[in-house]
Amino acid sequence: MLRTEERQRLARERREEREKQHAAKETQILEKERKAKLQYEKQLEERQRKLKEMKQKEEQRRAAVEEKRKQKIEEEKERYEAVLHRTLERNQRLETRQKRWSWGGSITPDSEGKTASKRSPSTANLKQAEAAVSKHVSSSAALLNTSDRTRRSQLSPLDSSVISRLLAPTQASLARSKSAATLSAD
């Protein structure tokens, strides 16, 4: 009887020992699972933080690129406007220069009236001579125009306008022609 009791006690002690070991193993497993879960959550948070940082950097980069693009467009616009302004100024200067050296000159109707009142009685002779000279000049210009028309058709409009300006007589040459005509008429 003592032996059976002894055996039962030893078996109980072994069972208790095994249960303790089993409980310790379960505790270790639970602790490992808890640590692994914490580590996974930490990694997940870190990944989310990095993704958020990357998104912010990407947005900042996009904003910088967009700002650069807008600035470049603005600079191009300013450059284009400056070129346009310079071209308009150049054209305006060319027009004033052409007006200055054209047939009519820069004489306005008012200045014509003022000079007419200062003229002497021999202005009628002068006007007749002027008419004769202008008729002669216009006929010679017509001859030049017909002979050079074929050559000019091959030129650009700008070259053509420059050549016609050069072929047109100046006010000084007209005045010399007028004075020569009046001298010959006298």
Side-chain angles (χ1 to χ4, degrees):
M1 184 122 168
L2 268 173
R3 276 188 166 193
T4 52
E5 282 181 18
E6 185 70 26
R7 271 192 232 146
Q8 284 177 350
R9 188 179 58 81
L10 285 172
R12 201 179 319 128
E13 282 177 4
R14 275 183 274 177
R15 210 179 316 127
E16 285 174 0
E17 188 66 32
R18 271 189 300 222
E19 284 176 2
K20 280 181 185 176
Q21 286 175 358
H22 186 68
K25 277 184 182 179
E26 271 190 38
T27 309
Q28 280 179 345
I29 291 171
L30 286 174
E31 186 64 27
K32 279 182 182 178
E33 284 177 357
R34 190 183 65 81
K35 282 182 181 179
K37 190 177 178 181
L38 282 174
Q39 190 174 359
Y40 174 75
E41 286 174 357
K42 227 184 221 182
Q43 286 174 348
L44 196 64
E45 284 176 8
E46 185 69 22
R47 204 174 297 144
Q48 286 175 347
R49 186 183 62 80
K50 283 182 180 178
L51 281 172
K52 195 175 181 180
E53 282 178 4
M54 282 173 56
K55 278 184 183 178
Q56 284 177 343
K57 283 180 183 178
E58 184 64 25
E59 285 175 10
Q60 287 174 350
R61 189 188 64 79
R62 278 192 193 139
V65 165
E66 184 65 24
E67 184 63 33
K68 239 183 200 177
R69 190 182 67 81
K70 283 181 182 177
Q71 191 175 9
K72 199 171 186 179
I73 288 173
E74 190 64 33
E75 287 173 0
E76 287 291 324
K77 187 179 175 185
E78 286 174 6
R79 197 175 303 128
Y80 174 74
E81 286 175 356
V83 166
L84 189 67
H85 184 69
R86 281 196 305 267
T87 306
L88 288 174
E89 281 181 353
R90 195 177 304 127
N91 286 345
Q92 200 171 15
R93 272 187 266 139
L94 279 173
E95 283 177 16
T96 54
R97 201 175 296 150
Q98 284 175 350
K99 284 178 186 174
R100 199 177 317 145
W101 298 109
S102 70
W103 281 85
S106 60
I107 298 174
T108 60
D110 290 345
S111 64
E112 187 67 35
K114 289 176 187 173
T115 55
S117 63
K118 294 178 184 176
R119 290 183 185 146
S120 64
S122 66
T123 54
N125 293 339
L126 194 62
K127 283 186 180 180
Q128 288 172 352
E130 182 181 353
V133 168
S134 66
K135 187 185 280 186
H136 178 68
V137 167
S138 65
S139 65
S140 62
L143 283 173
L144 277 174
N145 282 343
T146 55
S147 65
D148 288 342
R149 207 167 273 152
T150 54
R151 261 187 263 141
R152 281 193 201 165
S153 64
Q154 297 168 353
L155 298 174
S156 71
L158 181 63
D159 292 339
S160 172
S161 68
V162 169
I163 288 173
S164 63
R165 220 174 358 130
L166 290 172
L167 288 175
T170 62
Q171 281 187 328
S173 67
L174 285 175
R176 282 194 300 273
S177 299
K178 286 177 191 175
S179 63
T182 47
L183 286 174
S184 66
D186 290 344

